Amino acid sequence: MNEVKQPRAVVLVSGGMDSAVTISLARDMGFEVFALSVAYGQRHNSELAAAARVASMLGAAAHKTVTVDLRSIGGSALTADIDVPEEGGEGIPVTYVPARNTIMLSIALGWAEVLGSIDIFCGVNAVDYSGYPDCRPAFIDSFQALANVATKAGVEGHRMTIHAPLMAMSKADIAREGARLGIDFSQTVSCYQADAEGRACGHCDACRLRRQGFEAAGLPDPTRYVL
């Protein structure tokens, strides 16, 4: 009898709580996870260290980091010498990295084709988020349509699917889901300006959203903060 092969999925992993939950959900759905991180010139390497740690901790079959130099074009507080704001404001914040999710999903799409995978997961969210345009359902739907006309797999009838399982979840929902899945969130890094040890500033937008999520979920905040 031929053994049924476990389907493969490429999962984008940043090292934060959202991507940790996304890996676990992909595995729950029966996928063999191939974790992908992108070193795009972000301010701190602790995010990438956390990505590798989370991928290993949550049982990814492999973890790959691809380097893309977005510092060379700048335009964001995460890739240029622009201060990270510590208070919310109107409009799209300066922590938005131009075309970041488009680039990351494009790399994931390429790796998926090489792996023979038609499933890509990302942890974007359009409820408790910073207002980035590439975290909305319209973006995911549009990229999926692109994937199915731009790839060999898509043209040959193997429909590519971009999964965004956290899209409609609040940060509290994500925290509760992580607790249900048994994820150790202390191993994740979400802060926009974490130090070399991965300790969070406690003031930036990412820290604020994360802390509020744990509070709303009624769960202790395991984040390691700079004292």
Side-chain angles (χ1 to χ4, degrees), residues 172 176 213-220:
R176 281 190 287 263
F214 284 115
E215 289 175 356
L219 296 169

Side-chain angles (χ1 to χ4, degrees), residues 57-78:
M57 177 179 75
L58 297 179
H63 177 238
K64 181 187 294 290
T65 300
V66 174
T67 300
V68 179
D69 181 18
L70 295 187
R71 288 195 71 85
S72 64
I73 62 172
S76 167
L78 302 190

Side-chain angles (χ1 to χ4, degrees), residues 134-175:
D134 54 2
C135 287
R136 298 172 301 150
F139 168 72
I140 295 298
D141 291 344
S142 296
F143 192 92
Q144 180 171 285
L146 169 69
N148 281 297
V149 298
T151 59
K152 178 176 182 289
V155 168
E156 292 181 346
H158 306 292
R159 183 170 176 78
M160 308 290 295
T161 301
I162 311 299
H163 302 263
L166 311 187
M167 181 63 77
M169 296 172 69
S170 68
K171 268 289 188 286
D173 292 333
I174 294 167

Side-chain angles (χ1 to χ4, degrees), residues 41-43 71 74-85 93-98 192-193:
Q42 54 266 65
R43 282 174 175 258
R71 288 195 71 85
S76 167
L78 302 190
T79 57
D81 294 326
I82 301 170
D83 290 339
V84 173
V94 295
T95 49
Y96 163 69
V97 180
Y192 290 144
Q193 48 190 358

Side-chain angles (χ1 to χ4, degrees), residues 107-131:
I107 296 169
L109 186 59
W111 196 24
E113 280 212 281
V114 171
L115 292 169
S117 167
I118 57 171
D119 295 276
I120 297 170
F121 284 74
C122 61
V124 296
N125 171 267
V127 180
D128 290 337
Y129 76 127
S130 296

Side-chain angles (χ1 to χ4, degrees), residues 43-47 78 84 188-202 204 207 224 226:
R43 282 174 175 258
H44 52 83
N45 289 325
S46 55
E47 173 184 299
L78 302 190
V84 173
T188 65
V189 173
S190 301
C191 179
Y192 290 144
Q193 48 190 358
D195 67 9
E197 298 176 30
R199 295 178 300 181
C201 72
C204 69
C207 283
R224 296 180 301 121
V226 175

